[in-house]
């Protein structure tokens, strides 16, 4: 019988497919106590399940590349650490050996205990780790299930399926999307979670908070997921299927229309030319950046190369990667960002772990690079050598004061000298730019402009540092809002100072590729946007509908709005005005 379940849209879109339930938290467990002679074998079974879970996470880490890896690896690392947590393991072993719990019952009990302990914590960050603990233990339970009942289906999506789950870990989301999953319906979760952000960037429709999903939906039920309206329709009727087909036709028409924009110039409705650059890591990103007619690479994050091998890569290995990137862009400018590792990730690259209390405020980005001059110089030599193959700019992350830029420039000069003596070909000039992602850099940007050839505003971090809100902490969703007036003031200040100094300024945080922010950033005077290449056509399309002169006239009002809610409201008005039909006054103005 047709049934409609309501939920909150976490990632828009629609999908029609068979339900696949993943609910390790609801598996029935055998609560009979173990007999003496069963203990050893059962403990070994649990150890195998733990090892399977660790192995799954390792495999996931290897499979993921590019921006996705960056998003997900932090979770994979956190989950891997939990799986090796001595206290968790000791607790489980005691329960099996002393308490005579069967492995499934022991895991369930531990999950309940830990999740209650985390839920009771005062610190909202620690409270939000409850979900991590549950997801990790559920992974072990699922591995155990597969051992005890081989017919149990794996949590591996097959083409044509919609996952119905309690909640879904970001790592699983990435893996499932790659194996043909069509969409996700989650009982719990929020639209601000990292899984939700990932679902959006993967183009996977997702509904969260669909409270009755797990109790009402069964494996293989046909579901129409409507993450436009916020519904999951179980056993859809003819009228639902008609709606789905009409949505599909609309989507295809929109795709065809956008495809025609691939090689067009980017202009606002009144003809102002805007540069659209790509944030590109993998060969697939680079191919997409070219296919969509980007004006170059505005951000290439080099830390992936370091994290991939868990050690700093050799000069030639880096040179080959950077050269391929430059060649891949066929003469368009490429911005290579120097290493942006934080203390939390430094160990993964084989650099000494500092055990800092506040890694986000610690030895991160250029601070870490300057701390390891030998590692940094190797990277600098590789970048300089790649610069012979096309136009390259160097971007320095986490700059907080001019000294850092001067120190980097000195290392570049030194490396040039060395390479010259080794008779290695060198590019004549390589512009050096600063990322503006620390409030001090934004406020004191004039001083930086004395030494920087260009700037790139990193709003992902600038927002977290100006608002003192961890960008990875889901519990802070409403504070970490890129419409916050304080952030807009800094963006506007940086853009206007750079323009006055006659130096290029781009913005490469997530908001650059979000059409909800296009009008706002144009109003603030931004003319260079750098985004994931998948967003380029939508942003180009949006720009063509907006009148630049009208937007600019609203900048002051936008900056006077006192709260992010007021900015959002004003933005709606401004977009309506800038996309209203042209008036004779526009021509005159
Ligand atoms: C940013 O902080 O906005 C940025 C683009 O850098 P990342 O996301 O790599 O920190
Ligand atoms: Mg950053």
């Amino acid at each position: 019988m047709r049934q409609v379940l309501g939920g909150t849209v976490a990632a828009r879109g629609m999908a029609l497919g068979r339900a696949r339930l993943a609910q390790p938290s609801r598996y029935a467990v055998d609560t009979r106590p173990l007999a003496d002679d069963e203990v050893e074998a059962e403990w070994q079974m649990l150890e195998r399940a733990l090892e399977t879970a660790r192995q799954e996470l390792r495999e996931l880490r290897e499979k993921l590349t590019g921006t996705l890896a960056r998003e997900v690896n932090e979770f994979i690392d956190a989950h891997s650490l939990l799986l090796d947590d001595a206290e968790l393991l000791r607790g489980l072993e005691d329960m099996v050996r002393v308490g005579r719990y069967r492995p499934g019952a022991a895991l369930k009990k531990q999950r309940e205990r830990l999740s209650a302990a985390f839920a009771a914590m005062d610190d909202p960050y620690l409270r939000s780790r409850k979900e991590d603990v549950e997801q990790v233990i559920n992974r072990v339970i699922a591995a155990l299930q597969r051992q005890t009942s081989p017919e149990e289906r794996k949590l591996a999506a097959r083409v044509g399926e919609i996952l119905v789950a309690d909640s879904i870990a970001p790592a699983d989301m990435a893996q499932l999307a790659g194996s043909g999953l069509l969409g996700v319906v989650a009982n719990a979760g929020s639209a601000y979670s990292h899984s939700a952000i990932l679902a959006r960037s993967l183009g996977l429709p997702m509904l969260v908070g669909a409270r009755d999903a797990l109790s009402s939906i069964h494996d293989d039920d046909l579901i129409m997921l409507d993450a436009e309206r916020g519904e999951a329709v179980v056993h859809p009727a003819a009228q639902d299927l008609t709606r789905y087909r009409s949505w599909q036709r609309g989507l295809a028409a929109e795709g065809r229309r956008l495809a025609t924009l691939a090689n067009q110039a980017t202009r606002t409705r009144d003809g102002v030319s805007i540069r659209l650059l790509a944030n590109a890591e993998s060969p697939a990103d680079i191919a997409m950046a070219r296919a969509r007619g980007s004006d170059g690479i505005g951000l290439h994050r080099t830390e992936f190369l370091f994290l991939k091998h868990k050690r700093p890569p050799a000069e030639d290995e880096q040179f080959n990667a950077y050269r391929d990137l430059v060649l891949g862009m066929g003469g368009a400018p490429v911005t290579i960002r120097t290493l942006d590792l934080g203390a939390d990730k430094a160990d993964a690259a084989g650099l000494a772990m500092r055990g800092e209390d506040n890694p986000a405020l610690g030895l991160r980005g250029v601070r870490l690079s300057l701390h390891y001059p030998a590692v940094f110089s190797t990277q600098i030599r590789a970048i300089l050598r790649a610069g012979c193959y096309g136009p390259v700019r160097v971007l320095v992350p986490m700059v907080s004061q001019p000294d850092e830029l001067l120190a980097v420039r000195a290392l570049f000069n030194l490396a040039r000298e060395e390479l010259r003596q080794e008779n290695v070909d060198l590019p004549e000039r390589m512009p050096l730019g600063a990322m503006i992602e620390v409030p001090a850099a934004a406020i004191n940007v004039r001083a930086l402009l004395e030494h920087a050839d260009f700037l790139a505003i990193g709003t992902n971090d600038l927002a977290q540092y100006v608002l003192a809100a961890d960008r990875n902490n889901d519990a802070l969703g409403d504070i970490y809002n890129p419409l916050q007036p304080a952030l807009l003031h800094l963006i506007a200040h940086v853009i206007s100072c750079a323009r006055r100094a006659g130096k290029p300024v781009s913005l490469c945080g997530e908001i650059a590729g979000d059409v909800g922010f296009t009008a706002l950033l144009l109003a603030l005077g931004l003319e260079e946007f750098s985004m994931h290449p998948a967003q380029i056509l939508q942003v180009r399309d949006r720009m063509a509908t907006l009148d630049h002169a009208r937007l600019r006239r609203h900048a002051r009002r936008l900056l006077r709005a006192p709260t992010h809610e007021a900015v959002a409201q004003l933005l709606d008005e401004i977009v309506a005005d800038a996309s209203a039909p042209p008036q004779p006054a526009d021509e005159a103005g």
Side-chain angles (χ1 to χ4, degrees), residues 364 437 461 471:
R364 183 192 158 182
E437 45 190 353
D461 277 311
R471 64 194 259 189

Side-chain angles (χ1 to χ4, degrees), residues 70 279 299 301 303 337 340 364 435-437 457-462 471 508-510:
R70 183 184 160 75
N279 294 353
L299 176 66
R301 298 170 161 113
E303 50 275 13
R337 182 171 77 181
D340 183 16
R364 183 192 158 182
M435 282 210 66
I436 303 298
E437 45 190 353
I457 309 175
T459 41
N460 301 342
D461 277 311
L462 189 56
R471 64 194 259 189
C508 56
E510 287 304 301

